Amino acid sequence: DNGGPNAPQLQGWYHLAGTYNGTSMQLYFDTQLVDNVAFADRRRVEINMYDHPLTIGYGFVGYIDELTMWRRSRSMEEMNAALYCPPTLTDLATDVAAYFTFNEGTRGVLNNTAVALGHGFDCPPLDLTCLVATGVTFELDGFTVYEQSTDARELGIGMPSTSMSTWTVEKEAEIFAGSGASDKVRIHARDSCGYDYLGGDGGQVVATMAPFTLAYFEDDGPNGNELPMMKVDVPMENLEDVAMISAVTTCARSPTFMADFTSVTKAQYYLATFKVHGREYEELTVPSVDYNWVSVVPTLTKRFQLGDLPGNEAPFTAGVPKAMYVQLVDEHFNTCRERQDFNAKLSLKGRDYTMEYVLEAEDIIYNENVYSNEPEIAKVGSAPTFVYSLIFTVGLEGTYDLELSGEGMETFTVEIVVESAPWHKLELVEPAEEEVTRFEHTSVVYGEDLYVFGGASRDKTYLNDVWVLNNVAKDDFAFMKNVTIQVDSSEPLVNATVEVPVNTAELIGVGRMRTDCMDMLFVMPLETGVTATGDLLPHYMEPRPGCNSAESSVYVKVPLLMPGLNYITMVYGSPLMTNNPASLPEEVYYMYEGFENGYTGTNFVASPPCGGGDLSEEDAPIITTEQSFAGDYALHFRWGHAYSMAAALSAPVTQYRMRAWLWDSLSTESAHYISPNFGSCPSAGEDKARLPDSYGPEESRSAAVGTFTLSNKNQYCVASPWQRTGVERTGQWQQLEILSSLEDDLSVSINGERVKHETGAMRMDKLLLSSGFGVDNAPHPMLQDSHAFWDEISVLRLVPANASSAPMAMDGDLSMNLNRTWTKVVPADSDPEHVSYNLGNVPTPRYSHTALVWQDSMVVFGGERSAHSFGDVWLFNFTAQVWEYARPSGPVTPSPRFDHTAALHGNRMIISGGRSGKKILDDIWAFNLPTREWTLVLNSTAPMGPRFGHSAAIVEGTEHMFVFGGYRPEGGFTNELFRCEVGPEPKCVAMKEFCAGLPPEFVSQDNSFPVTLTPRYSHTSWADSKFVYIYGGSNLAKKGGFGQLFRLCVDEAPLSGFPGCIWDEVDIKVPVEGQEPLARYEHAMAVGHGRLYVSGGHENGMPDGSTYFFPVA
């Protein structure tokens, strides 16, 4: 005892160590050096020749434990690091001469068999008793083995310690939300000596799960270049501590503390922080293990929800594609991010028949892109997050149940309403040819196209040509909006770009427009006459406020605007449109750079500053995806580099609006700015740009805006001269604008707030981006210690024109395909066998004939020309575009005829009635198309009788041909309905008599024969497996034509039990309430892809060449 501050006290454990390194001896007490003796020369240790035994504790009263003799001198650092640690097996094999644990002793005998065998020899690596300090007490009359415990838990022995313990975290990639998943995150605890714990209370360890998000800035102002060079992780909203559960332990295996995640029900990434005794353990003792990210994912049980997405509440319109948005969530309402396959179908309700629409796989679109409703960060071209877009095109109006189901998913049902449809005019990008205008012709649908043959032209010339209208199966756009442009100039404006305001939030809210506004185009005015024109106009939507805003701003370039009022048309509404061919900012703006084409396509090139020397390519900015405002790429001026670039304009301008987006890193020292004008250097040559400085360039006024911390560190600055703007810097995207207006003044704005204004326009011939340059255009070392991103840089040439778009209530319905045009078919030469036929290699011009599709051919029969009736059959092959005369192979043929009907039944063409010269016919014939043989089906159709100008349609999969209306020699125009069997037992039945037994409850519902289905002729009809449709026609009382469309239910098993007796007059939406729908007679009708197409014919007594469709399935 030297009486010093480290003098030992009674009743305590102390650590003693003595070392000798050959030249000095040291004595340590509780890790502190208390004495040191040095020798002048190196002295070796003398060997005891008398072989006395090692004596431990002779004459000492107290406890001694854990005695180790080492073969080398150990440093104080080594001893302190393992103060409470027994030697390792490696130590025992190399450096330890003797090791006494005193754990094996018994009374009267000191058993030293454990010497040099290692701590915990009997229970590797340790048992709990190994963590209790025991010792031997020596008394004057002998010695007694006596156990004495010591509490070293806080020192890392016996249980986890906040300062002494080390940990290993093992985790799997994903954990199901709320599942407990105690085996997914395992924590192995070791004491400060590196030995596994074999026991302990699980409650000693807890885990805190902190959700994290990616941020690009902090809110406490500029703090230097560390803010941020890379994205930083910001934990938010700590969850409650999650108790840890300790596993059952054995002597041979260390315990594992496992997290119980039952209370973690929100699926996302978490930053896991593990605690011991309620305290976070120190950084040095906590392994990062990939930052301890824990991914909590949705459970396997899935359910559907509609989500709070725009457009879902809007009703469907029959025949118009519409997207409904749904999400898959688990029982905790976590969004499932991995695509899942499921089934979707619509089932009609409340009708006498059933109708289902089942979605195909291509109609279910999974959107993974980020969608935001916030105008500050919304990007053009984004879509809902982890949302399924269900694209429905429902042909039949009514109320439906939408059912979604799939494996491991709860079946979801919601009611939706499909409103009635209008007639949709097939608008064309190119004008329709006058030759398309005709009447008493025929049309058929083959593939995606509509074919028209024969008829009579406007001047009543008989025709035998074939025209094809391609891409009629689907539309790119369903609605149109008128845009008015007022030009306040006495001269025309050529290639002028105008700003068109559009309330896209309203259109999205009612389900007419995609949530990313991808489905809009601008065209020259769509005419309302015989032809339709429309040239695509380049346009671009400004990213702010962007899509889904009441004030979306779209810039449109128009080739020619005349003084006064001008008009263009906006077409929109196409849920499947994912790429807009006319969104072309490079054409819309006078200069545009979004950096989407990399360095090879950028407008900016190096521009050395005055006084700054040449630029090094090593300092050049890079185009990167790390940060962008719109699109995928942006220009990154990197930390530690100074550089300047300029983009030359095609010609100088003085009336313009320059905009650019700057992402500010909030570095304390920063100079990142943009300038629309700068003078040439006095002596360095024209290739170098003069940058704005504190006093302004010598040659002209200038303007610049951005960061310039030599003027002010906390605010954005404007020049010249450099001065603060009052707008505080924030680490996010900023919109910078310089406006040289039509009113001959200059203003500078930041995020729409004007910060500078002066009289006089400012000429611009180049656009400069500068990084890291200071006063007098010289590089400044501090200013280089920052970085920034630039994106969406544009120059708009201002013109004296203002535009406005019509409100949605005035928008019209539309059927427009960008690739839809009329083309005249030039038939190839026919087979020589048919050329010898006296009619030549194509049918003779005719009208009032019939046409239908069989396999890959259009089959034409009959017709009339100049009072001559035809009885020939022709086949036009769609693929080879060749006409073939079908010479009859049998001994009998029907009378030549026109104003008859033809319908396909398998491989047979069934014809009925019509006129042959002045004779009105009363028969039914069948033409076998493979064998080219005619067969008489019925010589007399009684009780139906002779007629012409009627219609007939055969129900799919049956032998029922429904015949309606026409003109009879006795009685004139009629509205009779007959069902004629065309199978082995042919006959015709009057449906009026058949339906006489219709139950009263159906008659009372006005489902019986509609009174508005008045007598008529020159109408058309068509049938599928459920309905017969009847449209148009005329009579003497309605010479202008009928506009109604009627639907007859022919389902074989209707609820009424009477197929062919339940009628609907289809509700047709009209532009103006009370207006009559589209009325035609002597028109052609064809059906395909769920659409009933009406082309040509007469409307109000005048020939019309337009084509419309109405949804029917």
Side-chain angles (χ1 to χ4, degrees), residues 999-1014:
E1001 62 268 24
F1002 291 96
V1003 176
S1004 63
Q1005 294 176 7
D1006 295 327
N1007 287 326
S1008 56
F1009 197 89
V1011 295
T1012 53
L1013 186 51
T1014 54

Side-chain angles (χ1 to χ4, degrees), residues 685-914:
E686 292 296 329
D687 61 330
K688 292 190 175 183
R690 171 171 291 284
L691 308 184
D693 60 24
S694 297
Y695 308 101
E698 299 173 358
E699 298 182 13
S700 65
R701 295 167 54 233
S702 66
V705 60
T707 64
F708 196 74
T709 55
L710 296 180
S711 175
N712 190 281
K713 295 182 182 298
N714 297 314
Q715 296 181 11
Y716 295 103
C717 297
V718 64
S720 284
W722 282 111
Q723 54 190 310
R724 64 180 182 174
T725 62
V727 179
E728 296 293 325
R729 293 175 62 192
T730 57
Q732 57 189 11
W733 286 102
Q734 317 291 333
Q735 185 191 71
L736 310 180
E737 176 179 301
I738 298 179
L739 178 68
S740 182
S741 73
L742 297 172
E743 288 75 27
D744 195 31
D745 63 359
L746 178 75
S747 62
V748 182
S749 301
I750 301 176
N751 295 329
E753 179 182 348
R754 192 164 72 175
V755 297
K756 180 183 178 70
H757 179 260
E758 59 185 43
T759 303
M762 182 172 288
R763 183 176 181 270
M764 173 169 56
D765 58 2
K766 296 179 181 179
L767 193 58
L768 172 74
L769 292 177
S770 177
S771 171
F773 292 100
V775 178
D776 296 328
N777 314 309
H780 195 290
M782 295 181 63
L783 294 181
Q784 298 178 26
D785 293 342
S786 66
H787 73 121
F789 295 85
W790 291 93
D791 202 0
E792 289 292 299
I793 302 173
S794 64
V795 176
L796 175 69
R797 185 168 63 92
L798 301 179
V799 295
N802 295 286
S804 62
S805 60
M808 186 182 67
M810 298 180 64
D811 292 355
D813 298 301
L814 185 69
S815 173
M816 183 176 183
N817 187 295
L818 298 179
N819 299 306
R820 181 182 295 152
T821 56
W822 279 107
T823 304
K824 186 174 183 178
V825 177
V826 179
D829 290 337
S830 298
D831 186 272
E833 177 186 352
H834 307 129
V835 174
S836 63
Y837 183 61
N838 60 0
L839 293 179
N841 63 343
V842 296
T844 303
R846 65 191 66 200
Y847 76 173
S848 296
H849 53 283
T850 56
L852 52 83
V853 174
W854 174 68
Q855 296 182 354
D856 59 353
S857 295
M858 173 173 61
V859 182
V860 174
F861 170 72
E864 182 264 350
R865 178 187 182 187
S866 303
H868 174 78
S869 301
F870 295 104
D872 48 351
V873 178
W874 288 81
L875 279 73
F876 177 78
N877 186 282
F878 296 110
T879 303
Q881 296 193 342
V882 172
W883 280 106
E884 176 191 357
Y885 169 61
R887 187 183 302 275
S889 62
V892 295
T893 58
S895 301
R897 64 192 65 201
F898 62 100
D899 283 344
H900 57 285
T901 66
L904 187 67
H905 182 251
N907 285 326
R908 301 189 304 161
M909 177 177 63
I910 309 297
I911 66 168
S912 71

Side-chain angles (χ1 to χ4, degrees), residues 217 371-380 382 542-549 551 627-630 661-663 730 732-735 751-752 792:
F217 63 94
Y371 168 78
S372 174
N373 236 357
E374 296 296 328
E376 288 79 9
I377 58 176
K379 294 184 179 181
V380 177
S382 61
E542 281 278 321
R544 181 179 291 182
C547 182
N548 197 25
S549 168
E551 300 176 348
Q627 179 78 280
S628 68
F629 180 75
W661 289 90
L662 166 69
W663 186 84
T730 57
Q732 57 189 11
W733 286 102
Q734 317 291 333
Q735 185 191 71
N751 295 329
E792 289 292 299

Side-chain angles (χ1 to χ4, degrees), residues 339 342 344 359-366 388-391:
R339 181 188 175 99
F342 57 88
L359 259 65
E360 302 294 336
E362 59 267 23
D363 296 324
I364 301 177
I365 301 173
Y366 183 53
Y388 296 86
S389 300
L390 311 182
I391 311 299

